[in-house]
Amino acid sequence: MFEKVLKIKDFYISFLCSETIVSTCGAPHQYIYDNNGNRGQFQCKVCGQNFNESNHADKPMVFLCPYCGHTLSPRKDRKHFRIHKCVNPECSYYQNNLAKLPENLDAAHKHNYKLHYIYREFTMDFFKMDLHGLPKNAINFKYKKFNAHIMGLCLTYHVNLKLSTRQTAHALQEVHGIKISHTMVANYAMTAAAVIKPLTDTFDYKPSKILSADETYIKVKGIKHYVWFIMDTCKKSILGYQVSDTRAVGPCILAMRMAFEKFKEFPNKALKFIADGYSAYPLASQQCKLMNGWNFDVTQVIGLTNDDAVSTEFRWVKQVVERLNRTFKSSYRVTGGYGSENGALYGVSLWAAYYNFLRPHPYNYWKPLNELDILTDAGNMPAKWQLLIYLGQQTILNMQENPVA
């Protein structure tokens, strides 16, 4: 089937297949015209690309400098992005930065300053990744030898009392007369973390407008990995967390997404986001603004002493998240490191659930940060763990029945 397309302004008529589209910009056939008199070449009036029916080769994407209009030159390839640089010596951005340099600066030290305009092209879309994917092993609990109460005891000793899996198994045998292997304790912790994680990630924390972020390192199979935490500085709840094998900007974006999704209406410029001087935070905030419209500023507290007005004003915020890191490390050290990245993620998520829902905090008069009504009448901590698992199961069922498009 062919359609007659008439454009009076340019005084030509072309006949095109109604299914023809442009592979670069996706323009429909109404914007595609015969470019060389029925000899096979077409042109898109949206993006200007020339192509034919047998060759839809895409032109490489070109990035232009917003200050001078020159084409940016690709310089470096990183794990998650590619760096493009404007090398035009007459660029106004470059000239303005040159004028700001110290007058007595040695020419050999000029490379220490970022003078040219730089654009980072991300090769991976971190805003399409699923943050709340349901774990495959979160199906049900079938106890062949033990029961739910013993599982609650395992979690109490292992998470609340910071005992390793071997020490937990030893305590259960010596105190309660329950002979259980440390492998079974680890399996219980892994399964409970998988079930509780959706509850921790989607709970309505009603966050304040002051958030703080920091990262700390852990070991997975003896190799350094990183844990990213974003917390509500006023209410002390953990809003976002990620485990990564690199200290790149990608995991920082995922942690920000997890934290910002807790807001029913994002506060934008009213949000105070405090972090250290690491460059990943402003880069992640830039991507959040471009992709999701989250327009906020990152305040970076640099150093250990209050040498500037920003550090003096926001040092207390940075100290809160540093205290959170120390609390996490006191529980992490007993593990001696994690055995897999998946185990590290679920281990951190299990600890985050304990911190948010079960751990008594002096800030809240030695009560949990987020009090759940169903836990009020629980007589002991093993019973609270069982009820928390029940709430996690209900969250999973709700996510399965009402999937987010």
Side-chain angles (χ1 to χ4, degrees):
M1 178 179 179
F2 290 82
E3 182 176 356
K4 182 178 179 181
V5 181
L6 174 64
K7 190 171 183 181
I8 300 177
K9 183 178 179 180
D10 291 343
F11 298 102
Y12 60 80
I13 300 175
S14 61
F15 299 90
L16 297 176
C17 175
S18 62
E19 297 181 355
T20 304
I21 61 172
V22 183
S23 58
T24 300
C25 66
H29 65 278
Q30 289 89 346
Y31 298 92
I32 304 173
Y33 301 96
D34 191 350
N35 197 45
N36 60 350
N38 272 341
R39 284 180 288 182
Q41 187 185 77
F42 305 120
Q43 183 184 55
C44 175
K45 290 301 180 180
V46 176
C47 64
Q49 178 183 351
N50 295 330
F51 63 96
N52 55 50
E53 289 289 350
S54 60
N55 180 18
H56 288 269
D58 295 340
K59 291 183 178 180
M61 186 176 294
V62 176
F63 297 96
L64 303 179
C65 176
Y67 295 91
C68 64
H70 280 66
T71 302
L72 301 183
S73 176
R75 289 298 183 178
K76 298 178 181 178
D77 283 326
R78 295 292 185 253
K79 185 174 182 179
H80 297 138
F81 57 87
R82 184 177 297 112
I83 298 178
H84 299 264
K85 182 178 180 181
C86 178
V87 295
N88 179 22
E90 304 299 327
C91 178
S92 60
Y93 182 86
Y94 175 68
Q95 294 295 331
N96 290 336
N97 287 336
L98 276 180
K100 296 177 183 179
L101 292 178
E103 296 181 358
N104 56 350
L105 180 66
D106 190 350
H109 297 157
K110 193 170 68 172
H111 68 278
N112 294 327
Y113 298 86
K114 293 183 179 180
L115 304 177
H116 294 273
Y117 174 78
I118 293 176
Y119 176 78
R120 291 169 176 82
E121 176 196 4
F122 278 80
T123 56
M124 184 178 298
D125 192 349
F126 292 98
F127 292 87
K128 291 185 178 179
M129 292 184 176
D130 187 9
L131 292 176
H132 314 297
L134 297 179
K136 296 180 180 180
N137 54 340
I139 301 174
N140 55 26
F141 294 97
K142 293 182 179 179
Y143 302 99
K144 296 180 180 180
K145 185 177 179 181
F146 305 107
N147 53 42
H149 177 69
I150 294 177
M151 181 177 187
L153 285 173
C154 292
L155 296 175
T156 301
Y157 281 112
H158 181 53
V159 182
N160 299 44
L161 302 182
K162 308 173 186 177
L163 300 184
S164 66
T165 56
R166 295 180 185 273
Q167 290 173 335
T168 299
H170 181 71
L172 288 175
Q173 183 173 3
E174 294 295 327
V175 178
H176 302 278
I178 301 172
K179 190 174 182 180
I180 186 173
S181 66
H182 72 278
T183 304
M184 183 59 70
V185 175
N187 291 339
Y188 279 162
M190 185 76 169
T191 306
V195 177
I196 299 174
K197 186 178 187 300
L199 171 66
T200 308
D201 296 349
T202 61
F203 184 78
D204 185 11
Y205 294 97
K206 298 180 177 60
S208 68
K209 296 180 181 179
I210 303 179
L211 305 185
S212 54
D214 199 12
E215 71 283 349
T216 186
Y217 71 89
I218 58 175
K219 289 294 183 68
V220 178
K221 291 185 177 180
I223 301 176
K224 181 180 289 188
H225 283 57
Y226 299 91
V227 176
W228 305 75
F229 283 122
I230 298 179
M231 69 178 303
D232 184 340
T233 308
C234 296
K235 297 184 177 181
K236 306 298 188 295
S237 297
I238 299 174
L239 303 181
Y241 58 91
Q242 283 294 319
V243 177
S244 64
D245 58 345
T246 63
R247 202 165 168 239
V249 65
C252 183
I253 293 176
L254 295 178
M256 283 186 176
R257 280 185 56 201
M258 184 180 292
F260 295 160
E261 287 179 356
K262 306 297 190 300
F263 289 98
K264 293 183 178 180
E265 183 178 352
F266 192 72
N268 289 319
K269 288 295 185 179
L271 176 68
K272 295 185 181 299
F273 190 92
I274 315 301
D276 55 20
Y278 187 42
S279 59
Y281 294 105
L283 293 179
S285 68
Q286 181 188 55
Q287 289 300 307
C288 288
K289 180 180 179 181
L290 292 175
M291 303 300 294
N292 276 18
W294 291 332
N295 187 13
F296 66 100
D297 296 324
V298 176
T299 302
Q300 295 184 287
V301 178
I302 301 174
L304 300 177
T305 57
N306 298 331
D307 297 329
D308 54 82
V310 174
S311 298
T312 303
E313 182 179 358
F314 295 104
R315 175 68 59 184
W316 69 273
V317 181
K318 189 68 171 62
Q319 289 175 340
V320 171
V321 71
E322 291 288 356
R323 184 67 184 90
L324 173 68
N325 279 341
R326 292 195 297 272
T327 304
F328 166 73
K329 279 299 189 69
S330 67
S331 299
Y332 157 75
R333 289 191 185 95
V334 301
T335 64
Y338 297 102
S340 66
E341 292 188 10
N342 191 46
L345 174 60
Y346 285 131
V348 174
S349 66
L350 187 66
W351 182 84
Y354 162 71
Y355 187 89
N356 284 348
F357 300 112
L358 298 178
R359 183 177 184 266
H361 289 260
Y363 160 79
N364 198 29
Y365 303 100
W366 298 103
K367 297 179 181 179
L369 293 176
N370 303 277
E371 298 185 58
L372 303 174
D373 295 336
I374 195 174
L375 302 182
T376 305
D377 298 330
N380 50 43
M381 188 57 66
K384 292 182 179 180
W385 275 112
Q386 295 175 50
L387 292 173
L388 202 61
I389 291 173
Y390 168 77
L391 292 177
Q393 290 175 324
Q394 296 302 311
T395 303
I396 292 175
L397 289 175
N398 183 57
M399 293 171 65
Q400 291 174 338
E401 295 173 358
N402 305 289
V404 179

